Amino acid sequence: MITPDTFFAKYDQKFVDFDGNAKYWCVDLYRQFVKECFNFPQSPIVAGAKDIWTTYLTEYFDKIDNSPTNCPIKGDILVWGSGLSVDGHVAICKDGDPNQFTSMDQNWPVGSPCHFVPHNYNNVLGWLRVKT
């Protein structure tokens, strides 16, 4: 297993194709992160990234709803809903505060490799945090 910082350094400006379908989706980044940093089983296949919010493995992660009084921490998995796009989005938190956060994203904008992106909380459903 590796740390989130090691994962970030390894994949920054690279494409991740977890399932071998030659499509560099945000979900590929999420699955690679879960495998390399935690060695957890993979959650079920999803139609869109937003579906991770309801199909994540509850025995490994706590679900934290987006609210004005909390913020994600390094390694949290952020999930956007369909207010963003029909499929939503998923990314890995680098750092954050109650007003904004930076995450490692793939396919944001469409077709881009893994890189760090500053975000506000618009359309973010919340984040998954490893159970302690």
Side-chain angles (χ1 to χ4, degrees), residues 49-50 52-53 77-81 89-91 123-128:
K50 70 180 179 352
I52 293 166
W53 193 241
I77 299 163
L78 293 129
V79 182
W80 282 255
H89 185 64
V90 63
N123 299 306
V124 173
L125 297 172
W127 41 93
L128 305 178

Side-chain angles (χ1 to χ4, degrees), residues 27 42 67 92:
V27 174
Q42 294 294 320
S67 82
I92 313 304

